[in-house]
Amino acid sequence: MGLVILVAIFLLPFGGDSSTLYGTVSPMIKNLGALQSGGNTATLAYDYTWIIAFILLVIAGVVGIFPLGTGVLGMVGMAMITISPFLIYPNGPYTLSTGAGFYITWVASVVSLVASRWQGKKETPPPVSVTIIQTQNTGTQAAQPTKNTKCPNCGTDNPGETAKCSRCGKDLPVAT
Ligand SMILES: [Zn+2]
């Protein structure tokens, strides 16, 4: 899924104008200096949001072998891109235009997160149950032979710690 995200943000049309996410963000990075001196805070905030989201998505793609990391970073990055136009420009002029890369990155992020949860659930239970069975077996096997001493007089089973029979009172042989 990490590879899918990298392909989607670098190669696939991300916005409605068929530019990739990388193609949209790289001029933003170049213009940051000019924007900061220009004092257009709305555009600056919008550009920063997209640049940070882009960096998160690149990291999400690179850590593709860890589905949880890809899923969380991918969803945070995509949420920033999806929400930012409405937060920063509630009345325009920017509107969110989306292409194939936009949806593929969303889907890849969600699939990664779901896959990581499914993997975690599947792998955890077996070791726990195996440990329980093993401790139960060793406990009963070790306990049975030494615990009881049969009374030579009346045949009652007595716990190994007692010296006299609990039923008839006769001295019990010392268990070896
Ligand atoms: Zn007895």
Side-chain angles (χ1 to χ4, degrees):
M1 280 305 135
L3 196 64
V4 174
I5 290 179
L6 287 179
V7 169
I9 62 178
F10 281 102
L11 298 177
L12 292 174
F14 200 88
D17 56 354
S18 81
S19 61
T20 64
L21 179 61
Y22 176 72
T24 309
V25 170
S26 58
M28 287 177 173
I29 297 172
K30 283 174 196 155
N31 290 335
L32 269 185
L35 276 173
Q36 268 168 336
S37 53
N40 187 341
T41 50
T43 309
L44 192 64
Y46 182 82
D47 285 10
Y48 262 122
T49 307
W50 276 62
I51 290 164
I52 293 166
F54 175 73
I55 292 166
L56 286 177
L57 289 172
V58 171
I59 297 169
V62 170
V63 300
I65 42 169
F66 307 108
L68 184 64
T70 302
V72 171
L73 290 172
M75 287 187 72
V76 170
M78 289 311 293
M80 288 171 73
I81 286 176
T82 309
I83 295 167
S84 63
F86 305 103
L87 281 183
I88 298 164
Y89 303 104
N91 305 314
Y94 281 85
T95 49
L96 187 68
S97 55
T98 53
F102 177 86
Y103 297 106
I104 289 171
T105 311
W106 258 122
V107 169
S109 303
V110 173
V111 167
S112 289
L113 199 63
V114 171
S116 71
R117 293 198 154 209
W118 183 74
Q119 268 187 346
K121 273 182 185 171
K122 201 191 168 196
E123 283 172 6
T124 340
V128 176
S129 58
V130 165
T131 318
I132 293 167
I133 291 164
Q134 281 175 339
T135 44
Q136 279 175 342
N137 282 348
T138 51
T140 48
Q141 278 171 355
Q144 265 180 346
T146 53
K147 263 239 168 97
N148 295 329
T149 308
K150 203 165 198 172
C151 174
N153 187 37
C154 69
T156 303
D157 272 336
N158 289 280
E161 293 83 16
T162 50
K164 285 173 186 276
C165 176
S166 61
R167 192 175 169 202
C168 67
K170 189 179 167 69
D171 285 338
L172 294 169
V174 180
T176 50

